[in-house]
Amino acid sequence: MDHNKLALPVGTTLDRFIMRKQEDFPYATGELSQLLRDIALAAKIVNREINRSGLIDIAGAYGSQNIQGEDQQKLDVIANIRFIRALRNGGEVCTIISEEDEDMIQTGNNQGKYVVAIDPLDGSSNIDVNVSIGTIFSIYRRISPTGTEGTEQDCLQTGTHQVAAGYVIYGSSTMLVYTTGNGVNGFTYENSLGEFFLSHPHITTPKTGAIYSINEGSSEYFSEGTAAFVAHCKQQGYSARYIGSLVADFHRNLLKGGIYMYPATKKAPNGKLRLMYECNALAFIVEQAGGKSSNGRSRTLEQTPQSLHERSPLFIGSTELVEKAEEFLAAEYSDALASL
Ligand code: AHG
Ligand code: MN
Ligand code: MN
């Protein structure tokens, strides 16, 4: 492969970048490229809705709960509709898993080769207070033959099988960051032109960092290992940073170095975050950027998913910090074994 081709100048549009990348794969049919463009289009629409949400009546609660029993916000529902519509109209996706829908969504495109898992709006609690929120997506190639509906087996593939993953952060600027397994690239949205431009080529995450991100309001429910690791972060003089939008916390730590944690707690034995459309996508990205992601004991991407909405603990970010967290948790497990 000619790596010079990948060294595109900053300022390249997302569409052009996707097209150039496709040229590196002579047998590519262009379907994945089209799928990424569909996601970018929906992201632009959702970005517009978010930007004006204070002006039109789409802030606040929708009045129902999703499959997780969490209150849906109006923007959760709007973002879900926008992404599903874009994926359905695009035609490359046979089946979607969404945080907002209990069952798999059959798009009716049985010829579609791909399955998408999506958290349409991440950081719901921050929607109404002008704090960064996001979208997370994960893409798999279906296993079942085309021409039929996608199956649960297509949807429940291990994270190592992802063909692409990414997120959109609706922040002080809106960015789309994605990987197709050949590095991570970030694109910043230019509002007046309506385009994403390559602004962060070849993102690599620092090997270590001085930021730890965890909801310490739950510390009463932390395991000994988690509590000990958080104490260690404080002893090291690390800064605590926690926005409460996974995408935003992850994005900051990806660029600056650090660790984000949503551990298993006594209240939530599998943590809170969802494996298929939160953990795996970010794990793929962080690994591609040179970082690490773990459930505290083993690699996130190797967990075998059992159900569409299952949860997993998450320790993600700079390799040295994630390994250190694993050390503290391993000590906890061996103590527990010794006391049996
Ligand atoms: P979502 O809005 O998609 O339900 O995700 C919320 C998640 C995640 O974004 C964030 O990191 C975490 O919930 C915060 O949870 P706590 O309030 O328990 O810290
Ligand atoms: Mn989320
Ligand atoms: Mn969500």
Side-chain angles (χ1 to χ4, degrees):
M1 189 190 304
D2 177 8
H3 284 275
N4 287 328
K5 265 192 167 177
L6 299 179
L8 298 170
V10 169
T12 305
T13 65
L14 175 63
D15 277 2
R16 192 166 181 76
F17 184 87
I18 291 172
M19 209 174 74
R20 289 266 189 89
K21 284 270 195 179
Q22 192 192 314
E23 287 168 5
D24 294 330
F25 301 97
Y27 302 108
T29 58
E31 284 154 297
L32 180 61
S33 300
Q34 186 54 43
L35 169 47
L36 291 166
R37 285 195 290 260
D38 295 341
I39 289 176
L41 173 63
K44 289 180 192 177
I45 297 170
V46 170
N47 179 61
R48 186 195 61 190
E49 307 286 21
I50 289 168
N51 274 292
R52 61 182 188 166
S53 68
L55 297 172
I56 53 176
D57 186 26
I58 57 170
Y62 182 66
S64 63
Q65 294 191 325
N66 66 13
I67 168 69
Q68 338 285 337
E70 296 157 349
D71 289 334
Q72 283 181 310
Q73 305 297 307
K74 288 180 196 164
L75 269 171
D76 280 327
V77 176
I78 290 170
N80 194 36
I81 291 169
R82 291 300 189 181
F83 277 101
I84 290 172
R85 192 178 292 166
L87 294 175
R88 193 170 261 150
N89 290 344
E92 301 83 20
V93 176
C94 58
T95 309
I96 303 166
I97 317 173
S98 164
E99 182 190 16
E100 305 304 331
D101 291 275
E102 179 168 4
D103 297 323
M104 299 183 293
I105 301 158
Q106 300 294 357
T107 60
N109 302 316
N110 292 347
Q111 294 301 332
K113 280 192 201 150
Y114 294 98
V115 169
V116 171
I118 191 161
D119 178 354
L121 221 283
D122 174 65
S124 299
S125 63
N126 285 322
I127 290 174
D128 292 347
V129 290
N130 228 336
V131 172
S132 301
I133 49 184
T135 294
I136 310 172
F137 61 90
S138 164
I139 303 174
Y140 294 86
R141 198 168 285 114
R142 70 186 298 175
I143 304 165
S144 61
T146 52
T148 55
E149 284 193 338
T151 63
E152 195 164 274
Q153 209 198 352
D154 293 326
C155 294
L156 293 180
Q157 300 186 52
T158 50
T160 46
H161 288 115
Q162 289 173 98
V163 293
Y167 61 85
V168 184
I169 174 167
Y170 311 98
S172 48
S173 62
T174 294
M175 280 188 71
L176 189 150
V177 176
Y178 83 97
T179 183
T180 51
N182 191 14
V184 181
N185 291 284
F187 300 79
T188 300
Y189 186 61
E190 214 290 331
N191 265 298
S192 61
L193 297 174
E195 290 268 22
F196 283 100
F197 288 92
L198 180 63
S199 54
H200 295 61
H202 303 297
I203 295 175
T204 53
T205 196
K207 283 278 165 250
T208 191
I211 294 176
Y212 73 101
S213 309
I214 189 168
N215 185 347
E216 284 198 78
S218 304
S219 57
E220 198 174 326
Y221 306 106
F222 287 171
S223 68
E224 273 175 33
T226 302
F229 179 65
V230 170
H232 165 81
C233 291
K234 290 178 181 171
Q235 279 155 13
Q236 298 294 311
Y238 296 165
S239 288
R241 293 283 184 273
Y242 193 75
I243 295 169
S245 295
L246 171 62
V247 165
D249 281 307
F250 174 82
H251 181 71
R252 180 201 53 239
N253 292 3
L254 181 73
L255 299 183
K256 290 191 168 186
I259 182 167
Y260 174 94
M261 296 168 268
Y262 210 109
T265 65
K266 287 164 202 154
K267 244 186 170 175
N270 292 317
K272 175 183 184 187
L273 301 173
R274 280 55 59 107
L275 180 62
M276 298 311 295
Y277 40 82
E278 291 180 319
C279 305
N280 272 341
L282 301 185
F284 189 19
I285 292 166
V286 87
E287 286 196 4
Q288 284 293 316
K292 193 161 174 165
S293 180
S294 164
N295 64 5
R297 302 179 88 160
S298 56
R299 188 178 171 212
T300 301
L301 292 180
E302 286 175 10
Q303 280 175 254
T304 309
Q306 308 289 344
S307 64
L308 301 180
H309 299 283
E310 82 183 64
R311 298 174 193 271
S312 168
L314 183 66
F315 297 80
I316 192 166
S318 296
T319 300
E320 278 183 21
L321 296 183
V322 175
E323 285 174 355
K324 190 52 111 181
E326 281 181 329
E327 267 173 44
F328 276 87
L329 290 162
E332 159 189 307
Y333 294 126
S334 53
D335 286 355
L337 282 177
S339 67
L340 286 176

